[in-house]
Amino acid sequence: MNGCRIVIFSIVQLAVVVVADDPPGHMQHIGSHMPPMPIEERDDFPNPIEFYDKYIAPAKPVVFKGVAKKFPNFNNLRNDSYLRELYGDATFSIEPLKEEVIIKQPIPMKMSEFLSVYEKEDVYIMELIDEIPFADEVFVPKPLLCESFFKLLNMVAMWFSSGGSNSLLHNDSVENLNCLYDGRKDLLLIDPKYEDSLSLLHVLPNEISNISSLDVEKVDMYKYGNLSTIPWYGATIEAGDCFYMPIRWFHQLKGLKGRNFAINFWFDPVNHQTFHKDCINTFFPEYETLPHYRKNPAMSLEK
């Protein structure tokens, strides 16, 4: 019996030694290799000039806490009955919740059908908002209410799922302002100055994003050892928060289980000279509807 105990103890002791020798964060979620650095938080929207000078120009991420609660439809978009009544017959693009490097063709589905299955099936809506009726639900936040941003607005998208999503690590060739109406997300950001150290990205055919092939849930630190020395920024985004991710910053979003709804705005890089010329001496409200903003990006904002 004592001999068996010695063998068992030796096996356990060996296992502990092997685990202890693994690199920090090995086979754990991305970011587990070291604590995050904080992202600046503020409880108000800056005007477009301050937004550019303090965040876009220096490429500095920021979280605007609770600001989306000011939008008139904040509670409506948190209500499935409201969406079913107004948009039940509208068709949206449905994709599998588990993201892959090879992007699959979205499946069209009516909102009413999606609302019946999204809590049980591995699907989510990612829909570019253009002329579909849902454009009336989008409120453009104060930081983007300037003709310069209107000229640069690339895409507006809606994201809707039952949560539990885990995006791949990627970066975009556009600026990004995202507003979360429902749910919670853990945000991980990596400065693009570490791009050469990552050496693990694949370029998609559309060239909008670079997407990593690494498993963000179980990072192989032997294969991707350079990650162990790369610092990262982190924040928990809650319902009502908006956050800015600068162009080319690598990011990964982990959604907590539960209803998740967001609107995000992608816009092209800003030119300093034309930006200040377009935005100076102008009154900016807290928000503007997307259709009105598209029709009158500057005139509607005059005092």
Side-chain angles (χ1 to χ4, degrees):
M1 178 66 73
N2 289 338
C4 292
R5 289 176 178 172
I6 292 172
V7 171
I8 293 171
F9 175 77
S10 299
I11 292 173
V12 172
Q13 188 177 40
L14 177 60
V16 172
V17 170
V18 170
V19 172
D21 286 345
D22 283 339
H26 180 60
M27 302 310 290
Q28 299 177 49
H29 195 276
I30 185 171
S32 300
H33 62 285
M34 66 172 65
M37 296 184 291
I39 298 174
E40 180 185 344
E41 296 182 353
R42 53 187 291 175
D43 60 4
D44 65 332
F45 272 138
N47 64 44
I49 295 177
E50 183 185 5
F51 181 48
Y52 174 83
D53 289 343
K54 291 189 67 173
Y55 305 107
I56 295 178
K60 181 181 179 182
V62 59
V63 178
F64 305 111
K65 299 294 294 183
V67 290
K69 295 178 181 179
K70 300 176 183 178
F71 300 155
N73 67 341
F74 177 74
N75 288 320
N76 291 340
L77 298 187
R78 295 161 56 86
N79 188 325
D80 284 356
S81 297
Y82 175 86
L83 295 178
R84 188 184 298 275
E85 180 179 352
L86 269 70
Y87 306 104
D89 291 332
T91 300
F92 296 85
S93 298
I94 310 301
E95 300 185 29
L97 198 59
K98 177 68 175 178
E99 292 195 19
E100 299 177 2
V101 175
I102 300 176
I103 304 300
K104 296 182 179 180
Q105 190 68 25
I107 301 171
M109 183 181 290
K110 287 188 176 182
M111 174 64 81
S112 57
E113 183 180 354
F114 175 81
L115 291 173
S116 299
V117 303
Y118 82 99
E119 293 181 308
K120 297 172 284 186
E121 297 186 13
D122 181 26
V123 292
Y124 74 98
I125 290 178
M126 188 286 186
E127 184 70 61
L128 298 181
I129 299 170
D130 190 12
E131 300 303 325
I132 63 173
F134 199 83
D136 293 333
E137 297 290 350
V138 177
F139 285 84
V140 183
K142 183 176 181 178
L144 301 184
L145 294 184
C146 172
E147 190 171 4
S148 284
F149 285 122
F150 172 77
K151 295 173 183 176
L152 299 170
L153 191 61
N154 189 300
M155 291 179 286
V156 182
M158 174 182 70
W159 305 80
F160 184 13
S161 75
S162 61
S165 60
N166 217 357
S167 79
L168 297 170
L169 178 68
H170 63 287
N171 70 1
D172 301 319
S173 60
V174 288
E175 306 277 7
N176 192 337
L177 182 63
N178 186 302
C179 292
L180 187 64
Y181 283 74
D182 210 352
R184 293 181 66 196
K185 290 179 179 287
D186 290 331
L187 171 64
L188 174 147
L189 288 173
I190 298 176
D191 194 309
K193 68 183 180 182
Y194 296 106
E195 183 168 8
D196 291 341
S197 298
L198 289 172
S199 301
L200 42 79
L201 300 178
H202 299 287
V203 180
L204 288 178
N206 61 18
E207 297 184 353
I208 292 177
S209 300
N210 292 327
I211 296 184
S212 167
S213 60
L214 78 108
D215 185 341
V216 297
E217 298 177 71
K218 295 181 179 180
V219 179
D220 186 340
M221 281 299 193
Y222 289 102
K223 183 177 181 180
Y224 302 112
N226 286 343
L227 274 176
S228 63
T229 61
I230 296 177
W232 59 284
Y233 294 82
T236 296
I237 310 301
E238 301 173 303
D241 296 348
C242 297
F243 58 95
Y244 164 63
M245 292 188 294
I247 186 172
R248 299 293 182 189
W249 277 62
F250 297 94
H251 52 280
Q252 196 273 330
L253 286 160
K254 181 179 181 181
L256 280 66
K257 195 64 180 174
R259 191 180 188 278
N260 198 288
F261 195 105
I263 302 286
N264 80 279
F265 304 85
W266 284 297
F267 53 98
D268 295 327
V270 182
N271 181 288
H272 173 78
Q273 294 178 337
T274 59
F275 175 83
H276 278 87
K277 179 181 177 181
D278 287 344
C279 300
I280 199 167
N281 297 325
T282 305
F283 168 73
F284 300 103
E286 289 299 308
Y287 50 80
E288 182 61 272
T289 63
L290 181 60
H292 193 255
Y293 177 61
R294 283 172 167 164
K295 292 178 181 178
N296 304 288
M299 182 169 57
S300 64
L301 303 179
E302 293 178 354
K303 284 186 176 180

